[in-house]
Amino acid sequence: MPPVEKSGKSGTTFSPEEVKVVFVLGGPGAGKGTQCANLVRDYGFRHLSAGDLLRAEQDREGSEYGEMIKKYIREGDIVPMEVTVKLLENAMKEDIKDKHGKGSFLIDGFPRKMDQAEHFEDTVVPSRFILFFDCPEEELEKRLLNRGKTSGRSDDNVESIKKRFKTFVETSMPVVKYFEDEGKVENVSAVASPEEVYQHVKERMEKRGIPVKPRA
Ligand code: C5P
Ligand code: MG
């Protein structure tokens, strides 16, 4: 991966005036991807999924990180943060290079560990707020096992799911708590139908001053 030069005001790659970032968190299977697709359509965000970027890097021929990523994902552990932050930063740079450096991004499934959060906000750009999809474990497990029938993912099986839940509770929830204390979390219940959940998501966007994309 190429080095990234710093251009933001406080030593970050991007300035928060030009690059809007909303972190999207929630247990595995909470519906983050589904709701992000709605937000891309209506608000003009770009969607970057940390898990998808890691899976692409894992499968990329010649990647020096492929084997390591594979192992972490199968075990439901958090990949060392330098790799994930760099993949996100590169994807953001690629996306805004033809857009006068401006962009807005939903970063899905990130940050899942405190060091990822700090490293990203210190070196890439501070986030605007965090959209957190709240869902009980029984419901998440049901959804993941169902998805596992067709997803082809190495980690949508009972054993990996248990480990992912444990990582989520022990490692990722403290990140949500940290941002909550900063007043940066919008908590949305993810138990209802996707349509109902999206109604609540739209209310939170309005509350945070994110405008709907003008219709073409
Ligand atoms: O978000 P998703 O469920 O697709 O993530 C799959 C796996 O990718 C996680 O269980 C974890 O191993 C890895 N991951 C990570 N750091 C992130 C997001 C995902 O290590 N921020
Ligand atoms: Mg996902």
Side-chain angles (χ1 to χ4, degrees), residues 187-205:
N187 190 315
V188 174
S189 166
V191 183
S193 68
E195 294 74 25
E196 273 175 83
V197 173
Y198 189 49
Q199 290 307 318
H200 294 289
V201 170
K202 285 194 285 189
E203 289 163 15
R204 305 312 167 85
M205 290 290 140

Side-chain angles (χ1 to χ4, degrees), residues 5 21 23 43 52 86 92 104 124 126 141 152 156-157 193 197 201-202 205:
E5 70 278 9
V21 164
F23 290 143
Y43 292 82
D52 287 351
K86 190 56 84 184
M92 291 167 75
S104 49
V124 182
E141 181 170 6
D156 281 345
N157 58 76
S193 68
V197 173
V201 170
K202 285 194 285 189
M205 290 290 140

Side-chain angles (χ1 to χ4, degrees), residues 50-51 54-55 72-73 76-79 84 109-110 112 116 153 155 164:
L54 285 166
R55 280 183 287 275
Y72 277 91
I73 288 185
D77 285 332
I78 304 298
V79 175
T84 313
F110 181 96
R112 295 259 263 278
Q116 291 185 343
R153 279 179 53 159
D155 58 353
R164 289 158 73 198

Side-chain angles (χ1 to χ4, degrees), residues 34-103:
T34 304
Q35 297 301 331
C36 283
N38 290 333
L39 290 168
V40 166
R41 183 193 61 216
D42 296 340
Y43 292 82
F45 279 103
R46 293 283 293 145
H47 175 217
L48 294 177
S49 155
D52 287 351
L53 287 171
L54 285 166
R55 280 183 287 275
E57 180 67 18
Q58 159 193 286
D59 297 337
R60 188 173 65 83
E61 214 168 304
S63 167
E64 57 180 307
Y65 305 113
E67 280 310 309
M68 175 193 72
I69 295 173
K70 207 169 278 179
K71 183 177 126 282
Y72 277 91
I73 288 185
R74 203 182 321 109
E75 293 300 315
D77 285 332
I78 304 298
V79 175
M81 57 104 181
E82 290 83 359
V83 174
T84 313
V85 171
K86 190 56 84 184
L87 288 171
L88 285 169
E89 185 175 40
N90 287 345
M92 291 167 75
K93 286 201 104 184
E94 182 61 28
D95 191 71
I96 64 176
K97 72 172 190 259
D98 301 327
K99 298 178 187 159
H100 311 286
K102 286 197 197 319

